[in-house]
């Protein structure tokens, strides 16, 4: 298994897209921390960029990678390895490469400017988002048959979780503002990994008081530590479930 | 040895394989022929476990391939279109596949590698290669592990005349070594010295599976292309 992972990483780490991603993250990180004296504020600005960019890059890159490698994946299935091992190795290869790019690109500025618990949580959230959206991309591209549809699905997933979902929640809040909707709202938030990552980071900054409705709820109901663990667990589910479904679908797929 | 018993496959509403039962023995070289979309590639892919038939059994060397992966160590496969990760170089592709089949590496067959002079271009990136060169890489990989069964899907499409001659020579050698070789091709003339049996598919059905000699007697023709055209003409009349 490790061998397939190794060669896939060798391939991906040389790709221009991944290098550009790393450079973009690093340039953004350094320039934001340099612009603002207050690193905590800088972290929040960085957060807003990360929450858009990381899911987008993971979804689109992983989807295109799978479709471009379809003939190679076919050739690999003709070798004496199980499909399960093959797809998990490819997933590991893609995810490790993207995580490495993220860790170097964002980790370096964070290490230099805010090497504390909040910075660590920030990196953790970024890695979890990488894992989640790569597995969603795998699921999307295994279920769809052609590249155009696959990329369409990827873009829709991105739009849904970064923009549409929050809009729908907002609509719900305005519509049912007169009712006690805190709890249902909190539960609904757990269906969006991007929101979860945002809350995870925010409850660890000084801005916890200003962080908006759902975040405040999490803070109130769960307290900081309990909240962190709960969010981490839900994020783990967000990684495991799509990956498991993707593996199952791949084992039954006609290539 | 490959044996399929009543395999069926549909894609949506289209029935691509209809009750295909075929038995292929070792020490034979089989041409898999038929018009486009007749089910040739689907048949090959079913044997390789890439396409999962809805019903029927496929046995390779007497073991059912369902839920088995190890049987593929006895098969060498050259796909119709070979595309490889862009940023790997040729050497790495070979290393990767060799790593996956390490236990078979102590008696690797590097004849084709040498004949195509592959080692001298090991440093070239896959993304920069021409279609023909990628085809050569696929061919080398198919023979590398001395498999008992060799499946070639349109092997010479895109190869220059010299290389395709090298490949054909290699197929002949392996045929004489008692391997089971399956070739699909639309260029019937190149099959003349290579095959001993012919399987013909049409619209997902097996039209016939016969020894070449038998077909030659039946039609009174010698070359594969003449034999096939005669049979098709007779069928249409």
């Amino acid at each position: 298994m490790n061998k397939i992972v190794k060669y896939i990483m060798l391939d991906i780490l040389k790709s221009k897209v991944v290098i550009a991603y790393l450079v973009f993250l690093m340039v953004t990180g350094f320039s934001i921390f340099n612009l603002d004296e207050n690193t905590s504020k800088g972290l929040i600005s960085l957060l807003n960029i990360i929450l858009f960019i990381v899911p987008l890059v993971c979804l689109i890159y992983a989807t295109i990678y799978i479709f471009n490698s379809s003939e190679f994946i076919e050739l690999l299935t003709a070798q004496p390895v199980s499909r399960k091992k093959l797809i998990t190795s490819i997933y590991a290869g893609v995810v490790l490469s993207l995580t490495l790019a993220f860790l170097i690109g964002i980790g370096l500025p964070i290490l230099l400017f805010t090497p504390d618990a909040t910075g660590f949580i920030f990196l953790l959230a970024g890695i979890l988002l990488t894992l989640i959206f790569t597995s969603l991309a795998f699921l999307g591209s295994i279920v769809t048959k052609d590249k155009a549809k696959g990329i369409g699905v990827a873009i829709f997933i991105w739009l849904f979780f970064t923009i549409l979902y929050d809009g729908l929640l907002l609509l719900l809040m305005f519509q049912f503002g007169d009712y006690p909707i805190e709890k249902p709202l909190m539960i609904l938030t757990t269906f969006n990994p991007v929101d979860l990552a945002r809350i995870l980071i925010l409850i660890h900054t000084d801005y916890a008081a200003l962080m908006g409705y759902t975040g405040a709820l999490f803070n109130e109901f769960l307290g900081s530590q309990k909240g962190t663990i709960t969010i981490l667990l839900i994020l783990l589910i967000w990684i495991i479930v799509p990956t498991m479904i993707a593996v199952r679908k791949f084992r039954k797929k006609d290539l | 040895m490959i044996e399929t018993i009543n395999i069926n496959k549909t894609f949506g509403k289209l029935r691509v394989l209809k009750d295909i039962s075929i038995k292929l023995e070792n020490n034979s070289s089989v041409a898999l022929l038929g018009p486009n979309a007749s089910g040739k590639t689907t048949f090959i892919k079913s044997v390789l476990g890439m396409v999962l038939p809805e019903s029927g059994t496929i046995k390779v060397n007497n073991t059912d391939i369902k839920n088995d992966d190890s049987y593929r160590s006895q098969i060498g496969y050259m796909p119709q279109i070979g595309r490889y990760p862009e940023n790997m170089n040729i050497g790495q592709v070979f290393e990767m596949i060799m790593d996956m089949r390490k236990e078979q590496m102590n008696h690797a067959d590097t004849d084709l590698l040498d004949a195509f002079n592959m080692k001298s271009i090991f440093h070239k990136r896959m993304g920069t290669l021409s279609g023909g060169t990628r085809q050569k890489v696929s061919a080398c990989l198919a023979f590398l592990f001395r498999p008992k069964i060799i499946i070639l899907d349109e092997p010479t499409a895109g190869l220059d005349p010299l290389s395709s001659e090298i490949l054909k020579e290699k197929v002949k050698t392996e045929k004489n070594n008692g391997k089971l070789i399956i070739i699909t091709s639309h260029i019937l003339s190149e099959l003349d010295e290579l095959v001993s049996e012919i399987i013909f598919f049409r619209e997902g059905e097996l039209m016939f599976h016969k020894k070449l000699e038998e077909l030659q007697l039946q039609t009174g023709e010698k070359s594969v292309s003449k034999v096939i055209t005669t049979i098709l003409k007779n069928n249409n009349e």
Side-chain angles (χ1 to χ4, degrees), chain A residues 4 7 10-11 14-15 71-72 74-83 251-255, chain B residues 9 11 45 49-52 69 72-73 77 79 83-85 87-88 92 95-97 99-101:
Chain A
I4 307 177
Y7 290 102
L10 267 176
D11 175 43
K14 274 191 234 157
S15 101
E71 285 95 353
F72 188 58
E74 264 182 40
L75 186 73
L76 293 182
T77 55
Q79 310 301 322
V81 281
S82 72
R83 289 233 187 149
R251 290 180 68 182
K252 298 257 152 70
K253 191 179 179 179
D254 292 321
L255 296 166
Chain B
K9 181 70 197 170
F11 288 133
K45 284 185 167 183
M50 291 176 191
V51 167
L52 312 168
D69 306 303
R72 287 197 290 268
S73 62
Y77 168 57
R83 277 189 64 193
Y84 297 87
N87 300 306
M88 271 190 205
Q92 284 168 337
E95 268 175 50
M96 178 174 182
I97 308 285
D99 260 351
M100 288 170 77
R101 300 173 77 154

Side-chain angles (χ1 to χ4, degrees), chain A residues 183-255:
Chain A
K183 269 199 180 158
L185 212 58
M186 197 172 78
I187 293 163
L188 281 177
T189 314
T190 61
F191 289 110
N192 185 348
V194 176
D195 281 346
L196 281 178
R198 179 181 285 128
I199 294 163
L200 179 65
I201 294 164
L202 284 173
I203 52 180
H204 286 89
T205 61
D206 314 335
Y207 292 84
L210 301 170
M211 67 194 172
Y213 204 57
T214 38
L217 282 173
F218 263 98
N219 222 357
E220 187 187 315
F221 278 111
L222 297 161
S224 201
Q225 201 175 4
K226 237 175 153 187
T228 309
I229 293 166
T230 315
I231 293 171
L232 286 177
L233 281 178
I234 299 170
L235 286 174
L236 278 181
I237 294 172
W238 265 108
I239 299 167
I240 295 164
V241 171
T243 314
M244 272 172 52
I245 301 173
V247 170
R248 188 166 296 175
K249 292 263 177 207
F250 183 72
R251 290 180 68 182
K252 298 257 152 70
K253 191 179 179 179
D254 292 321
L255 296 166

